[in-house]
Amino acid sequence: MQVFHGLHNPGIDALLKTGAVGVLPTDTVYGLVCRAQDPGAVRRLFTVKKRDANPGTVLAANIQQLIDLGMKARYLKAVEYFWPNPISIVIPCGDELTYLHQGKHSLAVRIPDSVDLRAFLEVSGPLMTTSANHAGESTARTMQQAEEYFGETVDFYVDGGNMGDRQPSTIIRVVDDAIEVLREGVVKIDETGKIHRG
């Protein structure tokens, strides 16, 4: 198990490309992550999380990464004006991505507003993420708290300091022409799609 300080370390990407599962600071909270293109790593992530049939969120640097992953361009182009932002959008997807969506036939995806994180994702490719905690417990605010949850069951930790003041992303889906807010997070969105900050 390795510890890194900040995302600017090629060792993190090298580990991810071998199927590693780790904890790193996202644009919102600490996340348990692995490469979204790696079915084996995704299965392991869900095992570490101790949660079944409840997929996480795919983070990507841009829409093209999500299209390359196997998501439909028409769904992504329809909502791209929301990004980059701490807004996760539930997008329909097919059977070829069952290992990610766990039979739900939809996935929450996000292009984060953090320039550093997007630069990291440009290199790593899209990441499957879920909050850094076991099901039913509060999300880790620090790397040390994440270590208390996961210990040696993950391959690496990235220390991003105390993120206790961060809110999770807002989760929405588009139903017909209206916006349905599934979880209100750091930004507010009304049913017309207008974003309200703070």
Side-chain angles (χ1 to χ4, degrees):
M1 190 268 292
Q2 297 188 51
V3 175
F4 300 92
H5 297 278
L7 291 172
H8 299 289
N9 190 311
I12 303 169
D13 181 57
L15 281 169
L16 286 167
K17 283 182 165 55
T18 66
V21 173
V23 172
L24 56 74
T26 72
D27 54 325
T28 53
V29 296
Y30 275 99
L32 184 67
V33 307
C34 70
R35 290 181 74 237
Q37 302 101 314
D38 187 332
V42 171
R43 282 193 298 273
R44 189 170 153 227
L45 180 145
F46 289 135
T47 298
V48 170
K49 176 79 173 183
K50 300 181 179 175
R51 183 172 75 178
D52 294 320
N54 194 353
T57 300
V58 175
L59 296 183
N62 51 58
I63 284 176
Q64 190 58 50
Q65 284 190 339
L66 296 170
I67 294 169
D68 292 345
L69 185 62
M71 303 192 79
K72 297 286 190 289
R74 67 180 184 274
Y75 295 129
L76 296 163
K77 295 287 188 187
V79 296
E80 67 179 327
Y81 64 91
F82 282 109
W83 295 317
N85 253 320
I87 300 170
S88 300
I89 304 176
V90 176
I91 303 288
C93 48
D95 289 339
E96 67 277 10
L97 294 178
T98 296
Y99 75 96
L100 287 171
H101 64 64
Q102 302 284 291
K104 302 286 189 184
H105 290 95
S106 63
L107 267 176
V109 298
R110 181 165 85 249
I111 297 172
D113 61 353
S114 163
V115 174
D116 275 357
L117 183 55
R118 286 204 310 277
F120 179 80
L121 292 163
E122 287 277 5
V123 176
S124 71
L127 297 179
M128 171 55 92
T129 72
T130 182
S131 57
N133 58 282
H134 291 136
E137 297 177 330
S138 59
T139 301
R141 297 184 302 276
T142 64
M143 185 194 75
Q144 290 75 19
Q145 189 177 1
E147 284 186 282
E148 290 173 14
Y149 284 145
F150 302 120
E152 299 280 338
T153 65
V154 302
D155 303 297
F156 68 88
Y157 293 88
V158 179
D159 192 352
N162 191 319
M163 300 180 73
D165 60 344
R166 302 282 193 95
Q167 287 183 275
S169 68
T170 297
I171 303 177
I172 66 171
R173 68 179 164 204
V174 181
V175 181
D176 296 323
D177 292 325
I179 302 298
E180 181 182 359
V181 178
L182 303 178
R183 180 182 75 194
E184 194 168 271
V186 66
V187 297
K188 311 290 186 280
I189 303 174
D190 65 28
E191 63 181 15
T192 69
K194 186 174 175 64
I195 298 170
H196 305 272
R197 285 189 174 272

